[in-house]
Amino acid sequence: MPTPPERPLSTAPLALEEEKIDLSDQRWSDAPVLALFWILAGVVFLQFFTRYVLNNSIAWTEEIARFLLIGVTFIGSVMATRKQSHIAVEFLYRWVPRPGRRIAQTLLDLVTTVFFIVLAVLSSQIAGRTNSAMVSINFPKSIVYWIVCASFVAMAFYSAWHTWRHLRTGTSKLIDPELHADHIRATD
């Protein structure tokens, strides 16, 4: 059986198209989560370097990384609430008539706002009852819970603002997706 002839390798350079980066939806209020993220990255790198390269890890890096991750999560959720980019089941909205979508959006907005308010109250209670310090450094653990509480208050504020805007205008991304479609979203 004869072997097929080998094809010559293509020497043409790979052409990649760069997408334009759009930061128009970023606000100055998003800066704390970006700063915390890079501090977290630095602490995790320091932990990795001291543990695996120097074979002598710094004791406080693991605990601080854990608390920084909590901060990034909840402060990042404030940004997601402001941008209305939390997960939603848009698939079901396609088959519901517009009046039903508007009722569902109103209920969703109200439940979300109440949920954030309840979690702000609960996290403030936890923060008020926490009197211990972190294990590795002498820093009160309640600060972490107060940051979580402040994040829930900010999320409740943004959620209430969006609820008011949806009720006032009568539209949203879920009620009228064709009006709010952007150039990034794929069309069906």
Side-chain angles (χ1 to χ4, degrees):
M1 177 180 236
T3 60
E6 290 187 31
R7 291 185 187 164
L9 296 175
S10 174
T11 58
L14 181 62
L16 298 176
E17 293 182 31
E18 292 186 24
E19 293 183 22
K20 186 177 178 182
I21 297 174
D22 182 21
L23 298 177
S24 63
D25 64 342
Q26 302 300 316
R27 304 284 183 267
W28 285 106
S29 60
D30 301 336
V33 72
L34 182 65
L36 270 180
F37 174 78
W38 283 109
I39 292 169
L40 172 64
V43 168
V44 169
F45 176 77
L46 180 66
Q47 180 182 16
F48 172 82
F49 182 77
T50 58
R51 178 175 289 172
Y52 295 111
V53 175
L54 301 179
N55 203 21
N56 186 12
S57 66
I58 299 174
W60 56 266
T61 55
E62 186 174 342
E63 183 179 25
I64 297 303
R66 185 178 330 123
F67 290 129
L68 285 172
L69 184 59
I70 291 170
V72 167
T73 301
F74 286 99
I75 297 172
S77 293
V78 173
M79 182 174 65
T81 304
R82 178 187 61 78
K83 294 166 69 173
Q84 299 183 58
S85 61
H86 279 293
I87 295 172
V89 184
E90 297 176 16
F91 183 70
L92 298 176
Y93 278 82
R94 294 180 186 206
W95 288 285
V96 176
R98 190 180 189 287
R101 291 193 306 254
R102 185 162 182 192
I103 291 169
Q105 179 70 61
T106 302
L107 288 174
L108 178 69
D109 286 341
L110 292 174
V111 167
T112 303
T113 303
V114 169
F115 178 73
F116 289 145
I117 291 169
V118 168
L119 288 178
V121 169
L122 292 175
S123 60
S124 71
Q125 291 174 354
I126 291 172
R129 293 180 184 158
T130 303
N131 298 321
S132 61
M134 295 181 188
V135 175
S136 58
I137 61 173
N138 191 16
F139 195 75
K141 229 189 257 190
S142 63
I143 297 294
V144 175
Y145 298 120
W146 284 117
I147 290 171
V148 170
C149 176
S151 297
F152 279 126
V153 168
M155 285 186 266
F157 170 76
Y158 280 122
S159 182
W161 174 255
H162 292 308
T163 302
W164 170 252
R165 200 175 76 214
H166 294 158
L167 289 172
R168 188 173 45 98
T169 62
T171 187
S172 73
K173 290 179 184 178
L174 294 177
I175 296 172
D176 297 315
E178 64 279 353
L179 295 177
H180 299 278
D182 53 13
H183 66 280
I184 297 172
R185 182 177 288 175
T187 57
D188 295 320

